[in-house]
Amino acid sequence: MPIMARYGDASLPILVLLHGFLGTKVDWLPLMPTLSQHFHCICLDLPGHGDNQAEGETEAKFDFNFCTQDIMTRLDSLSLSNGQFHLYGYSLGGRIALHLAKAYPQRLLSLNLESCHPGLKDPQEKLARSQSDALWAERLLNLNSKDFLSLWYQQPVFADMSAAKRKSLIEYRTHILDMHPKQILKQVFLATSLARQVSLWDVPSQLACECHFFAGSQDAKFHALAQEWQLHAPILVHSISGAGHNIHQAAPEVLSSTIIKLLG
């Protein structure tokens, strides 16, 4: 199966979309009927996810630099017209998007982040996150997929999700997890841990393009984070009503129309 999926006429402005941890390029399908009328959308599987199962022997191989280069190599293989694109990333995909923006600022037409953390500042927070992620990594490897996902989606950040939606998502993700080796996904998870991420709070200040942050109105944590970030960097914050952490899942129509208004 291909690692990339493309939607919309190739002559339209390019919009590259990066999913979050445990996701795949298919996660963006609900947005495609609308977005593909205004953009040439390129949805990629991140390393270790979906059909992007390049094997590596060490966890270090799958760090942020590897993910960034993997994405850029695949985009450059398409021989895009002028090489520039709008970039949209959710959660882990947003953190990778920040690294990409830092490394290739000249390639971006805009940077768009959904529920994305620019980096922990407190060493104690980093330590706690490292310990937490190590525990989650062991659960990923040792529990069956359904049990792991049942625990994963009980985290406070997913509290807005209805019981029916949570059940449906667990069943869907279980099928995907069972299809691919969890060892690679574990390596990617640890290598791109927020505990290992350098501070990227200043990246928007280094860009010539606009930087948009999308926060769900029901996601208090990332709403507050976005407001704090906005005080120190040129970020335009957009609150999406009726959504929590995963906006593109909860409110695809509202998010699509907002993206078109901002970028179109």
Side-chain angles (χ1 to χ4, degrees):
M1 293 291 288
I3 291 171
M4 294 183 289
R6 302 167 70 179
Y7 306 89
D9 194 282
S11 65
L12 293 169
I14 297 164
L15 174 62
V16 176
L17 299 109
L18 308 179
H19 61 76
F21 179 62
L22 297 176
T24 72
K25 58 184 177 294
V26 178
D27 291 3
W28 303 109
L29 277 177
L31 284 69
M32 289 304 104
T34 302
L35 287 185
S36 64
Q37 297 180 46
H38 300 265
F39 303 97
H40 180 59
C41 301
I42 302 175
C43 309
L44 301 96
D45 285 328
L46 296 177
H49 294 73
D51 297 306
N52 193 352
Q53 295 295 324
E55 294 187 9
E57 295 181 0
T58 64
E59 179 183 309
K61 172 176 177 175
F62 296 104
D63 63 9
F64 287 106
N65 288 334
F66 175 87
C67 292
T68 295
Q69 292 306 315
D70 183 74
I71 292 165
M72 292 305 297
T73 298
R74 298 184 192 286
L75 292 178
D76 287 343
S77 72
L78 301 177
S79 300
L80 304 173
S81 56
N82 63 2
Q84 289 188 302
F85 50 87
H86 297 283
L87 181 60
Y88 190 104
Y90 161 66
S91 196
L92 170 60
R95 296 193 287 118
I96 292 173
L98 276 167
H99 283 82
L100 193 152
K102 185 174 183 177
Y104 298 94
Q106 74 283 1
R107 300 292 295 272
L108 298 194
L109 295 171
S110 69
L111 176 62
N112 306 274
L113 308 169
E114 176 186 336
S115 308
C116 163
H117 205 302
L120 297 173
K121 298 177 181 179
D122 185 348
Q124 290 302 315
E125 281 187 299
K126 285 194 172 187
L127 177 60
R129 181 57 180 253
S130 179
Q131 294 171 339
S132 174
D133 283 355
L135 177 59
W136 279 113
E138 290 309 309
R139 288 170 173 167
L140 172 64
L141 207 57
N142 296 317
L143 295 177
N144 67 57
S145 298
K146 187 171 184 179
D147 287 347
F148 169 77
L149 291 166
S150 295
L151 288 173
W152 181 262
Y153 288 112
Q154 287 177 22
Q155 294 181 89
V157 74
F158 301 114
D160 67 291
M161 200 180 296
S162 68
K165 184 62 180 178
R166 183 177 287 106
K167 180 181 179 181
S168 174
L169 187 58
I170 289 171
E171 291 176 354
Y172 170 68
R173 296 282 192 229
T174 296
H175 173 69
I176 294 174
L177 262 184
D178 284 341
M179 289 175 61
H180 304 295
K182 294 182 182 179
Q183 180 62 38
I184 298 175
L185 190 59
K186 174 191 173 183
Q187 290 172 351
V188 173
F189 176 68
L190 291 175
T192 58
S193 168
L194 186 58
R196 298 189 179 187
Q197 179 177 305
V198 298
S199 175
L200 298 169
W201 288 77
D202 62 343
V203 169
S205 302
Q206 300 169 0
L207 300 177
C209 62
E210 287 188 345
C211 182
H212 300 279
F213 191 106
F214 301 86
S217 62
Q218 299 172 17
D219 187 353
K221 176 181 176 180
F222 279 84
H223 230 284
L225 181 68
Q227 295 297 331
E228 180 187 355
W229 200 0
Q230 193 176 37
L231 295 176
H232 307 286
I235 292 177
L236 301 169
V237 177
H238 311 279
S239 178
I240 305 300
S241 180
H245 189 66
N246 191 327
I247 302 169
H248 60 277
Q249 178 189 82
E253 297 86 0
V254 176
L255 181 59
S256 296
S257 62
T258 304
I259 291 172
I260 291 166
K261 289 176 183 177
L262 294 171
L263 308 184

